[in-house]
Amino acid sequence: DSGVTQTPKHLITATGQRVTLRCSPRSGDLSVYWYQQSLDQGLQFLIQYYNGEERAKGNILERFSAQQFPDLHSELNLSSLELGDSALYFCASSLGRQGRDEQYFGPGTRLTVT
Amino acid sequence: GNSVTQMEGPVTLSEEAFLTINCTYTATGYPSLFWYVQYPGEGLQLLLKATKADDKGSNKGFEATYRKETTSFHLEKGSVQVSDSAVYFCALSDDSGYSTLTFGKGTMLLVSP
């Protein structure tokens, strides 16, 4: 158990809908990262937050957004969903803002768009 | 940009066989290198890491050495077990200071008794 929790575990929704994925980092970690894992694209970094602020952005679509709250949990919002958004979404957390922190991954949320 | 290339799988071995999974990378500066493992239905677990050239990361019988001259970080294990069956991901974190990970596509390992 990494100490990172994600809810829900599974999510099935229709095209055009909007969903919210939730992540709670390990106790003491200030950074949260979101990754998408799909069969065709592999594991891709989406976005990073540190202590409530956005720190780095990867291949995140404009239809997707995220935030980190004062209690350090994070939410990833996916809107106007398309079939191609079906994937595993992982959250990871690490201690700090810079450097080569080890990242600890949650169990993931499997999103299926029908 | 940064990239990681891994050998394609699946790699199929018998128990107690020797394992090598090749990984090469492209990055500017001095990245940190990682191997993560994903067991079926689970998230990624950090297996080992190396932060500078010639460092050897090791854990649970797995080893990998950071070779800057060949930009490689090959994963090895002397004697695999059935329980090692999983998908293995090589990853790098560059020295930009943001710690974001760039992953390879993953290599599935299947170990039979």
Side-chain angles (χ1 to χ4, degrees):
Chain A
D1 184 354
S2 66
V4 178
T5 60
Q6 290 186 248
T7 56
K9 196 171 174 67
H10 301 280
L11 201 46
I12 301 174
T13 190
T15 53
Q17 295 298 305
R18 171 189 166 96
V19 297
T20 298
L21 314 184
R22 182 188 168 103
C23 168
S24 293
R26 289 189 321 156
S27 177
D29 284 357
L30 299 180
S31 268
V32 170
Y33 310 77
W34 286 98
Y35 293 87
Q36 180 194 57
Q37 184 179 34
S38 62
L39 280 174
D40 52 345
Q41 298 291 329
L43 260 166
Q44 290 197 94
F45 165 69
L46 295 178
I47 197 164
Q48 177 199 3
Y49 278 81
Y50 171 78
N51 205 21
E53 293 183 7
E54 182 184 303
R55 294 305 303 165
K57 226 168 183 176
N59 297 322
I60 188 166
L61 299 171
E62 285 192 13
R63 299 184 285 108
F64 296 1
S65 65
Q67 54 185 327
Q68 186 179 28
F69 294 87
D71 68 351
L72 300 177
H73 91 272
S74 177
E75 293 181 356
L76 179 67
N77 300 297
L78 316 176
S79 62
S80 303
L81 285 167
E82 302 175 359
L83 295 177
D85 298 327
S86 296
L88 256 174
Y89 291 84
F90 287 109
C91 167
S93 72
S94 71
L95 276 174
R97 170 181 173 174
Q98 292 185 334
R100 289 92 177 296
D101 293 341
E102 293 177 16
Q103 294 183 29
Y104 295 86
F105 282 74
T109 293
R110 181 172 294 281
L111 173 66
T112 303
V113 182
T114 63
Chain B
N2 299 332
S3 67
V4 176
T5 302
Q6 288 181 239
M7 60 189 290
E8 291 204 16
V11 173
T12 305
L13 294 173
S14 298
E15 205 165 27
E16 298 184 3
F18 184 85
L19 168 71
T20 300
I21 300 179
N22 290 338
C23 170
T24 57
Y25 68 89
T26 301
T28 55
Y30 299 90
S32 291
L33 302 174
F34 304 85
W35 278 101
Y36 280 83
V37 58
Q38 185 178 27
Y39 297 101
E42 297 185 14
L44 281 78
Q45 299 175 27
L46 178 64
L47 183 59
L48 53 84
K49 71 173 186 179
T51 58
K52 60 183 188 295
D54 300 325
D55 264 3
K56 178 187 280 189
S58 61
N59 186 25
K60 299 180 182 179
F62 291 89
E63 293 182 340
T65 301
Y66 189 142
R67 301 283 187 205
K68 191 156 178 67
E69 64 275 15
T70 54
T71 61
S72 65
F73 192 54
H74 305 321
L75 182 68
E76 296 182 337
K77 187 176 186 184
S79 175
V80 294
Q81 306 300 312
V82 172
S83 57
D84 293 327
S85 297
V87 180
Y88 292 81
F89 292 90
C90 185
L92 70 82
S93 174
D94 66 24
D95 56 5
S96 67
Y98 292 109
S99 300
T100 59
L101 291 169
T102 299
F103 284 92
K105 289 193 177 295
T107 303
M108 179 178 287
L109 170 64
L110 299 171
V111 181
S112 56

